[in-house]
């Protein structure tokens, strides 16, 4: 049984919503079920940033908003094709690893009630403009609680964009029954050494919990 809370001063009691209870239960189950390891690496994304800035205005001329996230979705798909064990699940009863030959990428969306993870299906076969439009639609409907249950199922690997929250890096919890989750952290200009010279580059941390 969990310990009873104590308080020696004035408190405000806020009811825990059903959705928050479901999210908390899923996170506890994930930590109990999977022995998490988190690896953090650093990436120079200067060229990616320049490419993004080069197409952003043209893409947005047709309406909508284009962010870096679709580029990271496509990069993740390419990485999963090279390392398919991260695009898998474990069937413990059968004693088998299910390596999935399709790429349904979950996108963690921050809402007032907690993180919800809608899924971009067949991300490998979609272009970045289509993915951008789908992310915007799913995120809006997630915040308005208008997603269907099917839109939250069937993910093979998840991205959580922690960059807007700041901080250095974080250790995301795996979205079961997947085997990995990717954390995107803030992009910032930093001095780095390139070919023996100190230059300013756009750098970011990437974390993978698996």
């Amino acid at each position: 049984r969990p310990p009873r809370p104590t308080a020696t001063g004035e408190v405000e009691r806020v009811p825990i919503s059903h959705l928050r209870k479901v999210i908390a239960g899923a996170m506890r189950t994930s930590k109990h079920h999977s022995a998490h390891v988190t690896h953090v690496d650093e990436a120079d994304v200067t060229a990616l940033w320049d490419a993004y800035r080069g197409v952003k205005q043209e893409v947005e001329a047709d309406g909508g908003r284009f962010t870096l996230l679709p580029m990271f979705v496509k990069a993740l798909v390419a990485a999963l094709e090279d390392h398919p064990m991260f695009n898998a699940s474990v069937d413990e009863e059968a004693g088998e690893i299910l390596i999935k030959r399709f790429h349904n990428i979950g996108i963690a969306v921050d809402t007032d009630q907690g993180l919800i993870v809608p899924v971009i299906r067949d991300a490998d076969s979609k272009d970045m403009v289509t993915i951008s439009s789908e992310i915007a639609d799913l995120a809006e409907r997630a915040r308005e609680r208008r997603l269907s249950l099917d839109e939250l199922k069937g993910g093979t690997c998840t991205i959580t964009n922690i960059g807007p929250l700041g901080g250095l890096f974080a250790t995301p919890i795996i979205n079961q029954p997947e085997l990995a989750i990717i954390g995107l952290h803030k992009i910032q200009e930093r001095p780095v050494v390139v070919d023996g010279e100190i230059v300013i580059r756009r750098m970011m941390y990437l974390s993978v919990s698996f």
Side-chain angles (χ1 to χ4, degrees):
R1 297 176 63 180
R4 293 287 298 172
T6 59
T8 57
E10 182 180 353
V11 299
E12 176 186 2
R13 289 184 172 269
V14 179
I16 301 173
S17 69
H18 174 70
L19 179 58
R20 281 197 179 277
K21 290 178 181 178
V22 170
I23 293 171
M27 295 300 96
R28 284 197 303 270
T29 298
S30 182
K31 293 290 283 187
H32 176 77
H33 185 72
S34 301
H36 284 51
V37 175
T38 300
H39 176 80
V40 181
D41 211 335
E42 187 176 39
D44 182 337
V45 294
T46 306
L48 178 68
W49 180 269
D50 291 343
Y52 162 68
R53 297 302 300 178
V55 301
K56 178 178 172 63
Q57 187 173 359
E58 179 180 352
V59 173
E60 291 185 345
D62 294 330
R65 181 169 172 257
F66 187 69
T67 69
L68 276 166
L69 192 51
M71 292 183 160
F72 284 111
V73 170
K74 296 299 282 188
L76 174 59
V77 168
L80 293 175
E81 288 174 343
D82 288 340
H83 305 280
M85 197 64 76
F86 288 88
N87 197 59
S89 296
V90 174
D91 185 337
E92 293 193 17
E93 289 187 7
E96 296 175 336
I97 298 172
L98 281 63
I99 299 176
K100 299 170 184 178
R101 303 303 183 184
F102 56 95
H103 300 87
N104 294 344
I105 306 301
I107 304 293
V109 176
D110 189 18
T111 76
D112 290 342
Q113 296 297 316
L115 286 178
I116 297 176
V117 186
V119 175
I120 303 293
R121 297 187 180 278
D122 301 315
D124 51 323
S125 65
K126 295 174 179 174
D127 61 50
M128 286 185 283
V129 176
T130 300
I131 291 173
S132 179
S133 177
E134 287 194 18
I135 290 174
D137 172 61
L138 290 169
E140 180 180 1
R141 290 191 291 115
R143 295 185 180 102
E144 295 173 354
R145 303 284 299 277
R146 292 193 295 111
L147 291 175
S148 70
L149 197 56
D150 284 344
E151 290 173 309
L152 301 170
K153 291 182 176 180
T156 60
C157 192
T158 291
I159 289 176
T160 180
N161 185 17
I162 306 162
L165 300 178
L168 192 61
F169 60 83
T171 56
I173 297 175
I174 297 168
N175 185 30
Q176 298 292 331
E178 298 165 20
L179 296 189
I181 182 170
I182 312 302
L184 306 178
H185 302 84
K186 66 181 178 181
I187 298 173
Q188 59 182 163
E189 291 185 325
R190 292 204 297 270
V192 297
V193 178
V194 178
D195 296 329
E197 295 185 354
I198 298 176
V199 295
I200 301 299
R201 306 289 290 180
R202 293 189 182 273
M203 307 296 293
M204 72 178 297
Y205 292 111
L206 298 164
S207 64
V208 52
S209 295
F210 59 96

